[in-house]
């Protein structure tokens, strides 16, 4: 079976001319369907850059990056937008809209799916909030929710479209130990039920046990993680 994410000889740069700086160096990585992959390493090592490339949020500059068998190198802005329909995103800052209720925020995860009726959007959003334990708070605004509850709304928004891939960038960084654990357990459970592949960046050593594999990135290169994992 072809990997869900396949990265081959990937380099990436920021800036131009004399300010050009290489951020990623010859990244080679395969991630299969249903796997939970944690990417860790020092700050500034390129983890978020690689995550956003996989998510179609940045253009691939060099090498090959295939998502669900489709090559992103050379893809147009329109093609990248289409590819993003297959992804769910969770970020450190939950990025909820304060003027929208929990269910309205979750419905935003379906905006790119014009084939889904408004009624179905409502039903799916409500069900997803129930699955993350917020069925009684669907009409609450973010300022009435705790940090952990806001991240649960973000999880619901990311998974409501039943994406093939879930990408998360430091989803537990702003949470206490128990809230962080609850968030990743919910994320893992729901994604596994949907057959979703998870790739997320974290410095949180408390949640490494949920990973099928750990990818360690240092100075823009894949490396052997000290006391964590051996990368072939």
């Amino acid at each position: 079976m072809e990997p869900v994410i396949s990265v081959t000889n990937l380099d990436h740069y920021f800036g131009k001319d004399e300010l050009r700086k290489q951020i990623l160096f010859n990244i080679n990585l395969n991630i299969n369907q249903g796997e939970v992959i944690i990417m860790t390493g020092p700050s500034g090592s390129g983890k978020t850059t690689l995550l956003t490339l996989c998510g179609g949020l940045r253009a691939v500059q060099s090498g090959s990056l295939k998502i669900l068998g489709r090559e992103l190198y050379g893809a147009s802005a329109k093609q990248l937008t289409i590819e993003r329909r297959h992804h769910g995103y969770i970020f450190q800052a939950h990025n909820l809209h304060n003027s929208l209720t929990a269910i309205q925020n979750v419905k935003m995860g379906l905006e790119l799916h014009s084939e889904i009726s408004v009624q179905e959007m409502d039903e799916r959003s409500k069900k997803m909030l129930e699955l993350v334990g917020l069925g009684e708070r669907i009409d609450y605004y973010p300022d009435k929710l705790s940090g952990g509850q806001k991240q649960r709304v973000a999880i619901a928004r990311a998974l409501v479209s039943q994406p093939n891939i879930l990408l998360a960038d430091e989803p537990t960084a702003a949470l206490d130990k128990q809230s962080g654990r609850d968030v990743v357990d919910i994320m893992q459970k729901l994604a596994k039920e949907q057959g979703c592949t998870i790739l997320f960046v974290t410095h949180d050593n408390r949640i490494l046990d949920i990973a099928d594999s750990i990818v360690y990135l240092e100075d823009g290169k894949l490396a052997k993680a000290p006391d964590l994992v051996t990368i072939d």
Side-chain angles (χ1 to χ4, degrees), residues 212-232:
D212 294 310
S213 297
I214 298 173
V215 174
Y216 187 78
L217 205 61
E218 186 172 12
D219 296 327
K221 303 173 183 176
L222 292 180
K224 179 181 178 181
D227 301 322
L228 292 177
V229 66
T230 299
I231 297 177
D232 295 330

Side-chain angles (χ1 to χ4, degrees), residues 6-201:
S6 179
V7 187
T8 307
N9 301 330
L10 181 73
D11 296 329
H12 197 76
Y13 302 82
F14 286 161
K16 295 181 179 180
D17 302 326
E18 67 273 8
L19 297 178
R20 191 171 189 243
K21 180 180 179 182
Q22 189 165 358
I23 303 299
L24 296 175
F25 298 79
N26 195 36
I27 302 298
N28 290 275
L29 177 67
N30 287 324
I31 299 174
N32 298 313
Q33 182 177 353
E35 287 187 322
V36 177
I37 306 297
I38 285 181
M39 184 158 49
T40 188
S43 297
S45 58
K47 302 183 300 298
T48 295
T49 299
L50 182 54
L51 190 76
T52 54
L53 284 165
C54 290
L57 297 173
R58 299 181 189 273
V60 178
Q61 299 170 343
S62 175
S64 172
L65 174 54
K66 293 182 179 180
I67 305 296
L68 300 170
R70 293 181 286 272
E71 178 62 66
L72 297 192
Y73 176 71
S76 66
K78 181 178 180 180
Q79 288 172 319
L80 291 177
T81 298
I82 292 172
E83 290 304 316
R84 289 197 290 271
R85 296 178 183 176
H86 303 287
H87 309 151
Y89 300 89
I90 304 170
F91 298 102
Q92 177 178 341
H94 43 74
N95 291 344
L96 301 183
H97 287 261
N98 290 325
S99 61
L100 302 179
T101 63
I103 193 168
Q104 289 171 334
N105 269 286
V106 173
K107 282 171 64 177
M108 291 187 67
L110 296 171
E111 281 189 341
L112 291 175
H113 299 268
S114 57
E115 75 281 3
I116 301 176
S117 68
V118 173
Q119 180 179 352
E120 186 178 352
M121 285 185 181
D122 287 335
E123 292 173 353
R124 286 172 62 167
S125 298
K126 181 180 179 181
K127 181 179 179 181
M128 188 56 65
L129 282 168
E130 291 171 349
L131 289 173
V132 300
L134 293 177
E136 301 299 317
R137 290 176 168 80
I138 64 173
D139 293 320
Y140 280 45
Y141 288 91
D143 63 356
K144 299 299 182 182
L145 300 174
S146 69
Q149 289 170 340
K150 290 175 185 177
Q151 280 294 55
R152 292 185 187 202
V153 175
I155 291 172
R157 180 179 58 191
L159 290 173
V160 70
S161 65
Q162 299 180 343
N164 299 106
I165 300 169
L166 178 64
L167 303 170
D169 193 359
E170 297 283 6
T172 65
L175 303 178
D176 60 53
K177 180 179 179 180
Q178 188 57 53
S179 295
R181 186 78 228 184
D182 290 344
V183 161
V184 296
D185 285 346
I186 291 168
M187 186 164 53
Q188 181 188 34
K189 177 178 182 291
L190 294 180
K192 286 291 188 182
E193 288 175 355
Q194 294 184 8
C196 181
T197 299
I198 306 177
L199 172 62
F200 69 89
V201 169

